[in-house]
Amino acid sequence: MFKSNDRKVFNDSDPVQVTNHGTLKYPHRLNFYDKPPLFDVTVEEFEICALDRLRILAEIESSGARNRTWDDLKTVTNAQCAKYLPLHATSAISVDRDAERRKDHLGHFVLRLAFCRSEDLRRRFIKAETTLFKIRYDSDGYSEREQFLSSRDFNWIPVDATEKAQYRTQLLASYQGSKNESVRVEAFETEKYYKVKWTRVPDLVERRKVFLKGGWAYVPSKEQSSIVFQEFEVLLEKALELTARSLPRLDEDTRLVPILDNLSQGFLAGVPSEWTGSGESTGDEIKAEMVDELSKKHFPLCMRTLHENLRRDHHLKHFGRLQYGLFLKVLGLSIDEAIAFWRKSFSRITDDKFNKEYKYNIRHSYGLEGKRANYPAKSCQQILTPGPSDHGCPYRHYSPENLQTALLAAYSSRGLTSSDLPEIMAMVKTDHYNSACTRVFEITHSAFGVKKGEGVGGNDSVTHPNQYAARSMELLKAQQESGEAMIVE
């Protein structure tokens, strides 16, 4: 699959540079992804295209877990698409439409490689991709949508006027439209019908929207999309199964496998957002003595748990110290304050032991020792990967009983009650850990005007502990500056 250098991922026999917008390599905005991409890309593009698409699919899945309405889902998804994966209409001649559709095409196939590995991943990928296709289908212009439908053989049979008249009574009985009977009948008279095997439109059969006769379903043109969506889903399912059988061939390439492993974690924690605070401190400087109070007001459960364990045991294991130390560093704790904080926290050991065994590692995490790298704080995706320990994600690694107890202990004073737990635990049960954390943020920050579905701002889900804490601190600061601060014990 790869050539001798890092530039080859797919081979292209006919690369095209789009200069004439009248001749498009990708003639339609909608795509069934029947043909694999046959063009050269760099490893960087391979990963970026997949990550940008995964941001959208992860938000679609998160929206389902957060019970967003269809209209809200479309609004959020379209906003994400405009940011990460824009697809302009064919009539938009001022943009390079082929370049946009090329990225869309490549990203889809890379994610196929990442999500074909298990039945659960395939199921979730199909659901998210089908939802994305539906949203694009709904937003496509009528003429362009018709051109796309005409370009494919959906194996439906148009019902002629004679047959429509023959079954007029039955067809009219199943036709759903305006509550005004005369308006409904008038609309029916101009409606076109198509015949397909009833197994191709199970959703319409279930909702009694079609007339069945001899194994055929008579589908009105306004419900034609159900045939299209079902076809998309069935073809994608077959393609993923075929990809899964071919996947072992990639094991020899050490460049692809780590990328695919990382992508396949995207539905667990979402995709790390372009949050600017993930690399270095961007907040106001905090003092060692402030950490305890900040943990009660602003920390996500993973970091609050680490802080409580540190207070209780006066110690944390190595990876717990690393994770919590980097979190505090990005939050705004300087190196001098960090040394003071950890020295006070490790009160059961001598100064000599602390200086010999711990101080070097603290300075190392700030880039002052060793290779002097400026280490970023761990994202949710990284925190989810360890096994159960003192530094993992509580939503994933705690038992249901322990998680509920921990949530109430940590956030009951912030407005979370036992009546909120069933909704949160339902998200945890379906592996939507970041959605559960996001919902906790919304509940515990409702006093600041945060509403359900808003997440940490801009409808974004929590993808980083520092993102959670930074947004919480911003909300408090904004309220204080406006003179409307309220005391929350």
Side-chain angles (χ1 to χ4, degrees):
M1 195 174 193
F2 274 87
K3 296 298 185 182
S4 59
N5 58 56
D6 280 353
R7 294 193 61 79
K8 300 290 186 180
V9 178
F10 297 105
N11 298 320
D12 188 3
S13 58
D14 184 25
V16 176
Q17 294 294 329
V18 179
T19 54
N20 180 5
H21 288 278
T23 305
L24 293 173
K25 185 175 181 180
Y26 296 93
H28 307 291
R29 179 172 175 266
L30 298 173
N31 194 340
F32 262 48
Y33 309 101
D34 302 291
K35 300 177 182 179
L38 300 173
F39 45 77
D40 295 348
V41 297
T42 63
V43 175
E44 182 181 11
E45 184 183 7
F46 181 90
E47 184 173 16
I48 289 174
C49 289
L51 277 172
D52 283 347
R53 188 180 193 88
L54 184 55
R55 296 181 197 278
I56 298 166
L57 299 186
E59 194 59 43
I60 288 174
E61 175 153 294
S62 175
S63 294
R66 294 161 69 181
N67 294 318
R68 281 177 173 148
T69 66
W70 177 249
D71 288 340
D72 287 342
L73 171 60
K74 286 199 298 183
T75 300
V76 171
T77 303
N78 285 329
Q80 290 286 92
C81 285
K83 185 175 182 180
Y84 297 111
L85 195 62
L87 274 186
H88 286 85
T90 304
S91 57
I93 61 175
S94 61
V95 296
D96 192 341
R97 296 153 294 173
D98 264 341
E100 292 181 341
R101 296 170 189 184
R102 177 184 184 276
K103 179 181 179 181
D104 174 73
H105 191 204
L106 174 61
H108 171 87
F109 273 89
V110 176
L111 292 185
R112 276 194 191 181
L113 295 173
F115 291 101
C116 70
R117 302 174 168 201
S118 70
E119 183 177 349
D120 178 63
L121 286 176
R122 290 195 293 269
R123 174 184 56 80
R124 295 168 75 170
F125 180 69
I126 290 169
K127 184 176 180 180
E129 277 284 349
T130 303
T131 301
L132 177 60
F133 182 85
K134 289 179 179 179
I135 292 171
R136 287 175 171 174
Y137 186 92
D138 286 350
S139 63
D140 221 14
Y142 175 79
S143 61
E144 294 191 15
R145 186 190 305 158
E146 289 299 307
Q147 289 174 12
F148 169 74
L149 296 178
S150 299
S151 71
R152 301 185 58 86
D153 182 9
F154 287 95
N155 198 28
W156 53 42
I157 303 173
V159 176
D160 58 29
T162 302
E163 190 172 9
K164 181 179 178 181
Q166 180 182 357
Y167 298 114
R168 184 181 187 281
T169 302
Q170 295 92 328
L171 292 173
L172 183 58
S174 63
Y175 186 76
Q176 299 183 15
S178 173
K179 293 181 180 180
N180 187 306
E181 184 64 16
S182 61
V183 174
R184 188 176 74 90
V185 172
E186 183 179 354
F188 166 78
E189 298 298 345
T190 59
E191 189 75 69
K192 293 180 180 180
Y193 275 82
Y194 301 88
K195 284 196 302 185
V196 295
K197 291 295 183 180
W198 73 270
T199 52
R200 294 183 60 191
V201 285
D203 58 324
L204 297 182
V205 174
E206 182 182 8
R207 290 179 288 162
R208 300 184 179 184
K209 286 192 170 186
V210 292
F211 165 59
L212 301 178
K213 178 70 175 179
W216 293 95
Y218 287 72
V219 183
S221 58
K222 70 175 185 174
E223 303 292 350
Q224 192 179 25
S225 60
S226 288
I227 305 174
V228 179
F229 301 155
Q230 178 74 2
E231 183 88 351
F232 179 88
E233 191 171 328
V234 169
L235 291 178
L236 181 54
E237 182 177 5
K238 292 179 179 177
L240 284 170
E241 292 173 356
L242 181 62
T243 305
R245 291 197 292 269
S246 304
L247 192 63
R249 303 177 194 173
L250 294 178
D251 290 342
E252 298 177 0
D253 198 308
T254 57
R255 290 166 293 179
L256 275 183
V257 174
I259 294 175
L260 298 177
D261 287 342
N262 183 57
L263 291 170
S264 65
Q265 297 293 320
F267 281 152
L268 290 179
V271 183
S273 64
E274 295 178 335
W275 180 64
T276 57
S278 59
E280 58 185 21
S281 175
T282 56
D284 296 331
E285 183 177 349
I286 60 176
K287 302 295 183 181
E289 61 270 17
M290 297 168 57
V291 175
D292 193 57
E293 187 66 21
L294 290 174
S295 71
K296 298 175 183 178
K297 293 183 177 181
H298 305 296
F299 287 10
L301 187 59
C302 56
M303 296 304 159
R304 179 150 183 172
T305 299
L306 285 173
H307 183 79
E308 293 299 325
N309 290 346
L310 179 60
R311 288 182 61 195
R312 182 192 67 223
D313 302 330
H314 301 280
H315 188 266
L316 283 177
K317 295 179 182 178
H318 171 73
F319 289 107
R321 295 197 305 273
L322 177 63
Q323 180 175 303
Y324 191 43
L326 290 174
F327 168 81
L328 292 176
K329 165 192 165 185
V330 173
L331 196 66
L333 194 69
S334 68
I335 180 60
D336 292 335
E337 291 296 327
I339 292 174
F341 169 78
W342 288 105
R343 181 63 195 98
K344 182 179 179 181
S345 298
F346 287 8
S347 58
R348 294 178 180 174
I349 64 175
T350 64
D351 287 341
D352 185 58
K353 183 178 177 65
F354 178 81
N355 291 332
K356 287 181 178 180
E357 299 183 16
Y358 299 102
K359 189 173 181 179
Y360 176 88
N361 288 333
I362 297 171
R363 288 176 55 80
H364 188 278
S365 66
Y366 277 75
L368 300 176
E369 301 288 354
K371 64 179 182 179
R372 300 184 183 276
N374 187 18
Y375 297 98
K378 303 295 182 182
S379 69
C380 292
Q381 193 174 76
Q382 293 170 306
I383 293 171
L384 278 163
T385 52
S389 67
D390 66 353
H391 62 281
C393 173
Y395 295 97
R396 183 179 190 184
H397 297 134
Y398 280 20
S399 68
E401 295 77 15
N402 288 345
L403 176 59
Q404 293 180 76
T405 300
L407 285 169
L408 289 175
Y411 299 116
S412 58
S413 63
R414 306 289 295 172
L416 187 141
T417 66
S418 57
S419 62
D420 298 313
L421 294 179
E423 180 185 9
I424 296 168
M425 297 309 296
M427 297 178 187
V428 173
K429 187 176 181 180
T430 54
D431 299 340
H432 294 99
Y433 309 115
N434 64 316
S435 297
C437 187
T438 303
R439 184 64 189 123
V440 170
F441 181 92
E442 292 170 344
I443 294 169
T444 56
H445 291 78
S446 59
F448 298 96
V450 177
K451 299 178 181 177
K452 184 176 182 178
E454 291 184 358
V456 288
N459 299 310
D460 286 342
S461 300
V462 175
T463 58
H464 200 294
N466 285 93
Q467 174 197 28
Y468 183 114
R471 180 57 180 158
S472 178
M473 293 168 72
E474 286 174 6
L475 289 170
L476 178 60
K477 185 176 181 180
Q479 193 176 76
Q480 290 173 338
E481 289 177 349
S482 66
E484 299 175 356
M486 56 182 62
I487 299 176
V488 182
E489 296 297 333

